[in-house]
Amino acid sequence: MSVIAENLTWGVKRRTIVKNISLNVAEGETLGLIGPNGSGKSSLLRLLAGLKRPAEGSVNIHGKDIARTTRRALSKEVAFVQQNATTDTNVSVRDVVRLGRTPHRSALSGWTPADQDAVANALSRVGMDHLQNQSWQTLSGGERQRVHIARALAQSPRVMFLDEPTNHLDIHHQIEILQTIRQLDLTSIIALHDLNLAAMFCDRIITLKDGAIVAAGTPEAVLTEELIRNVFRVNASVSTSPHHGHPEIHFRAS
């Protein structure tokens, strides 16, 4: 397994936000995390990526306990893409992606051909190589998100965590971003709020409610009318897409 979590629990003060969660993710799998706002998706992602330390439980990535792994070593294995990270600095697209090489370089080391190749390859994989000299400030929301993914790829990770990477994007860019992620040769764990996008692009889905797992499995097994009603408190009909075979959710007014 690529990522294994056992009995993760975490909270703030007296509030438990992630409750006794265990999961495993296979090499190359795309796992979706869904749930209403406040269900613990973002907190669970940060625990899995080593950005938060659990009160209880453990996370192993490729057989290594991340609590016993240095931040630098972990950053060579794992990349994290935030919802809408930004910068006020007027830098080029290439300079943003170059930041992904930081875990592989010492303070005194120069820029190497390997670094250059990693940046060029990352830009190419997300289709942004033709804009590498353009200013970050001039990019659209979808282009910026692709650059963030390129920066993560420049780390040369084996596992990528993405926290609602399609948030605030129009539907065209949402699909474009998720197609890009799906085509990468990586293990991906993605928090999503759009159930239809989760059905289209994820191999398996975990549903969270109040910090706990309430369902896990394939999109067909998880995305049922009963679950949507009980977890998201909306009525919906679920059918099978005639084009792709994945579930299609059609929401109905109460």
Side-chain angles (χ1 to χ4, degrees), residues 14-110:
R14 295 184 179 181
R15 182 188 173 205
T16 302
I17 297 173
V18 174
K19 302 174 183 177
N20 196 35
I21 286 181
S22 297
L23 58 83
N24 56 73
V25 189
E27 187 86 27
E29 184 177 24
T30 299
L31 175 71
L33 303 179
I34 63 172
N37 289 342
S39 60
K41 300 187 299 295
S42 294
S43 295
L44 176 57
L45 269 185
R46 283 164 171 76
L47 289 166
L48 294 172
L51 300 178
K52 294 182 183 294
R53 187 173 293 272
E56 298 177 18
S58 63
V59 178
N60 281 263
I61 295 180
H62 294 118
K64 299 176 183 177
D65 184 344
I66 66 171
R68 300 179 182 179
T69 305
T70 66
R71 169 53 52 189
R72 185 182 183 87
L74 187 60
S75 295
K76 294 178 181 179
E77 293 274 325
V78 168
F80 192 96
V81 178
Q82 301 181 60
Q83 285 187 34
N84 48 12
T86 187
T87 178
D88 294 326
T89 306
N90 188 22
V91 294
S92 70
V93 167
R94 183 177 59 251
D95 287 338
V96 173
V97 179
R98 281 165 63 102
L99 293 173
R101 296 304 297 165
T102 302
H104 299 272
R105 305 174 64 241
S106 67
L108 300 178
S109 64

Side-chain angles (χ1 to χ4, degrees), residues 94-131:
R94 183 177 59 251
D95 287 338
V96 173
V97 179
R98 281 165 63 102
L99 293 173
R101 296 304 297 165
T102 302
H104 299 272
R105 305 174 64 241
S106 67
L108 300 178
S109 64
W111 196 253
T112 67
D115 293 324
Q116 186 65 32
D117 289 346
V119 170
N121 183 54
L123 284 164
S124 177
R125 289 173 79 180
V126 300
M128 290 295 291
D129 43 339
H130 65 295
L131 295 178

Side-chain angles (χ1 to χ4, degrees), residues 235-253:
N235 293 318
S237 59
V238 180
S239 59
T240 300
S241 168
H243 304 292
H244 306 288
H246 58 69
E248 286 187 342
I249 298 100
H250 306 275
F251 297 101
R252 303 194 305 265

